[in-house]
């Protein structure tokens, strides 16, 4: 994570704050110069602290840590723009977790492609008592995803994402297939 940065100057050098008797003392100035070098990264982080909690501005390593802190669905292999988008959307995704919209957005942020979601239905109402129940009696969920170059790891990752973002009672299946390529003219 954070560490020393060669050549980073302190925003509050200690040598200038010493009493006048130490202003000309070479040993004292070199000693506090070493402290300045150690404290400069800490002071730099504190000076920029609000930027560290904004996924668009935070350093990438801190954004990866922040992803775990806010519960963003990441695996560490996504490109930087998708990582930042997942961290920024984490609070919203927790609010819509277990819904079709939440599942679709989670998969889109993780893979950069729109999933095709098929579910059994059953969320409707009727003004007439004892009316026909919507959907099918057995709950089911199927998520299909088309990727340019799918790998077996993609199907495993999609399965883990769906397991985390689906309604808890829904059995599910996933399928990752190659996207159709359009010929270039």
């Amino acid at each position: 994570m954070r560490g020393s940065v060669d050549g980073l100057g302190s925003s509050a050098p200690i040598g200038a704050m010493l009493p006048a008797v130490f202003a000309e003392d070479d040993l004292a100035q070199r000693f506090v110069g070493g402290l300045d070098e150690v404290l400069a990264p800490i002071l730099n982080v504190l000076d920029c602290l609000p930027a560290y909690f904004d996924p668009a501005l935070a350093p990438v390593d801190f954004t990866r840590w922040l992803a775990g802190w806010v519960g963003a669905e990441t695996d560490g292999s996504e490109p930087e723009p998708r990582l930042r988008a997942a961290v920024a959307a984490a609070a919203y995704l927790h609010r819509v977790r277990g819904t079709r919209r939440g599942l679709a957005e989670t998969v889109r942020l993780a893979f950069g492609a729109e999933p095709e979601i098929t579910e059994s239905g059953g969320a409707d109402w009727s003004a007439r008592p004892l009316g026909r129940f919507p959907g099918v009696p057995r709950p089911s969920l199927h998520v299909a995803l088309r990727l340019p170059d799918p790998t077996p790891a993609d199907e495993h990752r999609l399965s883990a994402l769906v397991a985390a973002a689906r309604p808890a009672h829904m059995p599910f299946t996933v399928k990752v297939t190659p996207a159709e390529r359009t010929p270039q003219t």
Side-chain angles (χ1 to χ4, degrees):
M1 286 287 235
R2 307 280 68 137
S4 65
V5 178
D6 292 335
L8 180 65
S10 175
S11 60
I14 299 172
M17 294 184 230
L18 293 177
V21 72
F22 297 111
E24 300 292 323
D25 187 348
D26 184 52
L27 176 65
Q29 290 297 323
R30 284 186 293 138
F31 178 76
V32 296
L35 292 176
D36 282 339
E37 189 173 325
V38 170
L39 295 176
I42 297 168
L43 295 174
N44 188 37
V45 167
L46 291 175
D47 288 344
C48 304
L49 193 61
Y52 273 76
F53 296 102
D54 182 349
L57 302 174
V60 177
D61 63 333
F62 192 83
T63 305
R64 290 196 192 288
W65 176 81
L66 197 57
W69 195 47
V70 298
E73 298 288 343
T74 61
D75 70 349
S77 67
E78 53 277 317
E80 184 180 330
R82 273 207 309 241
L83 169 69
R84 292 181 185 282
V87 172
Y92 166 75
L93 290 176
H94 288 305
R95 283 194 306 270
V96 296
R97 187 178 212 105
T99 65
R100 181 184 187 123
R101 180 176 53 178
L103 178 59
E105 187 66 16
T106 299
V107 172
R108 187 187 64 72
L109 282 171
F111 288 95
E114 279 301 318
E116 298 168 20
I117 300 174
T118 309
E119 57 184 326
S120 58
D124 202 359
W125 67 278
S126 174
R128 200 163 130 207
L130 302 174
R132 182 174 111 31
F133 188 76
V136 295
R138 174 175 267 168
S140 65
L141 173 67
H142 180 72
V143 180
L145 186 63
R146 297 181 189 281
L147 295 176
D149 295 314
T151 66
D154 291 330
E155 191 155 332
H156 183 278
R157 181 158 182 239
L158 178 61
S159 182
L161 277 174
V162 172
R166 70 185 163 93
H169 70 283
M170 293 283 273
F172 70 94
T173 57
V174 296
K175 181 84 171 153
V176 177
T177 57
E180 295 177 11
R181 298 177 193 255
T182 55
Q184 295 178 349
T185 56

